[in-house]
Amino acid sequence: MSFIKFNNEEVFEAKNITINQLLISKGLNPSTIMIRIDGRIIYRDQYNTFIIPNGAEVKAYPFVGGG
């Protein structure tokens, strides 16, 4: 079985899951979330194609607007 850590919680997911698929499965809107995988920022234009590696640590941060 494949697993990842999502915001410090171990999650069992199918292999070959993209960032978009993970975020949607968690009820999150991909357009409002910044993602780091194993400490590296992943840009939003890669969310639909970037396959999350087995054992990866995924951190999601909501965008905060203001000014």
Side-chain angles (χ1 to χ4, degrees):
M1 171 124 339
S2 178
F3 79 94
I4 59 172
K5 273 191 164 184
F6 181 72
N7 288 342
N8 298 321
E9 177 183 322
E10 211 164 87
V11 178
F12 292 91
E13 296 288 342
K15 288 184 179 184
N16 299 324
I17 189 169
T18 66
I19 295 169
N20 269 353
Q21 291 168 327
L22 175 65
L23 293 175
I24 290 168
S25 78
K26 296 296 180 187
L28 300 171
N29 181 347
S31 67
T32 64
I33 303 290
M34 186 202 69
I35 291 290
R36 289 180 93 106
I37 295 181
D38 296 328
R40 190 178 106 204
I41 294 173
I42 307 298
Y43 294 99
R44 197 173 314 143
D45 64 352
Q46 296 176 303
Y47 285 12
N48 206 37
T49 57
F50 188 98
I51 304 295
I52 301 170
N54 186 35
E57 186 170 339
V58 181
K59 298 277 188 168
Y61 303 92
F63 286 118
V64 178

